[in-house]
Amino acid sequence: MKISVSFIKSKYNEKDTVNLIDKTDAEYVHVDLMDGKFVEHKNYTVNDIKNIVNGTNKKLDVHLMCKNPSKYIKDFASLNTEYITFHLEAVKNPDEYIKEIHSYGIKCGISIKPKTNIELLKPYLEKIEQVLVMSVEPGAGGQKFIMDSILKIESLKKLKNDLIISVDGGINDKTIDFVQAADMVVSGSYICLSDDYQAQINKLR
Ligand code: DX5
Ligand code: ZN
């Protein structure tokens, strides 16, 4: 299972946190971008992100919690980005953003909030590479894992077996047991609030 590390809740500033993530064997740096519209809190500008991730040896796994994904797609395309994920609940025409992300040769993910039914993803599954299943409400790190999310993993796999399923929120050495069917997990505070990032990652693996 691949591990994507979110740096928003850490003992250190973002830059130092990404430097520490770089020293681990995690596969991705997970970039949580919040616009203050789709979610209450606004965190970074694209320039902030560019400064934070400048020099990282990890690929980026970008999670746009934003009403207007287009505002950011082009900028992330110029970084070492493997996935750009937008929220199904945030946009009117998902096809538009799927096309835009693919036009830069970047893999497209769609994320759904804990209460969103996976049936709503059906029209898009054949066009995308990843689904990011939120196991907390988007908007903040350090929340408690929502158990109902587990069911979505198996159901999505049945709908499309080569889909990359990533689970985001509340992942730690206990909750990881429930998401073994996923291909990828996002973990933030469990890793970045610790003194030894690699030791926490080893426990997840
Ligand atoms: C929540 C973010 C998550 C979150 C992960 O809005 O999308 O990526 O910060 O952090 P933890 O692992 O602390 O739940
Ligand atoms: Zn996230």
Side-chain angles (χ1 to χ4, degrees), residues 19-73:
N19 285 336
L20 288 169
I21 297 170
D22 264 344
K23 297 195 175 77
T24 72
D25 65 7
E27 281 81 4
Y28 301 97
V29 168
H30 181 84
V31 178
D32 282 309
L33 199 72
M34 308 181 190
D35 67 350
K37 291 178 187 137
F38 177 65
V39 290
E40 210 175 309
H41 181 59
K42 184 175 179 356
N43 57 1
Y44 311 113
T45 63
V46 175
N47 273 336
D48 294 334
I49 300 290
K50 283 185 179 164
N51 289 328
I52 293 167
V53 301
N54 182 28
T56 178
N57 55 36
K58 304 289 182 196
K59 286 187 176 162
L60 306 185
D61 164 40
V62 176
H63 179 192
L64 298 176
M65 287 167 269
C66 306
K67 281 245 176 225
N68 181 6
S70 276
K71 231 173 126 177
Y72 313 96
I73 293 169

Side-chain angles (χ1 to χ4, degrees), residues 167-178:
V167 184
D168 184 6
I171 296 294
N172 57 40
D173 58 346
K174 309 279 182 311
T175 55
I176 191 85
D177 289 344
F178 305 120

Side-chain angles (χ1 to χ4, degrees), residues 6 8-9 30 32 34 63 65 132 134 136-143 168-171 186-190:
S6 160
I8 58 173
K9 210 167 162 78
H30 181 84
D32 282 309
M34 308 181 190
H63 179 192
M65 287 167 269
L132 182 71
M134 291 301 298
V136 299
E137 287 298 331
Q143 304 180 75
D168 184 6
I171 296 294
V186 178
S187 183
S189 51
Y190 175 69

Side-chain angles (χ1 to χ4, degrees), residues 21 38 94 118 156 197:
I21 297 170
F38 177 65
I118 63 162
L156 281 163
Y197 288 17

Side-chain angles (χ1 to χ4, degrees), residues 104-169:
Y104 293 102
I106 292 172
K107 293 175 188 158
C108 179
I110 299 185
S111 183
I112 48 169
K113 299 205 271 187
K115 292 194 188 87
T116 302
N117 195 313
I118 63 162
E119 290 291 311
L120 299 172
L121 284 169
K122 273 188 175 167
Y124 311 105
L125 290 180
E126 288 308 318
K127 304 171 192 169
I128 62 175
E129 287 75 31
Q130 188 210 51
V131 169
L132 182 71
V133 173
M134 291 301 298
S135 40
V136 299
E137 287 298 331
Q143 304 180 75
K144 192 168 173 276
F145 181 82
I146 297 170
M147 280 290 176
D148 289 354
S149 330
I150 305 164
L151 304 166
K152 289 181 177 172
I153 307 169
E154 291 285 357
S155 313
L156 281 163
K157 278 276 171 198
K158 276 187 199 136
L159 291 174
K160 187 187 178 191
N161 66 14
D162 63 344
L163 193 66
I164 303 289
I165 313 282
S166 182
V167 184
D168 184 6

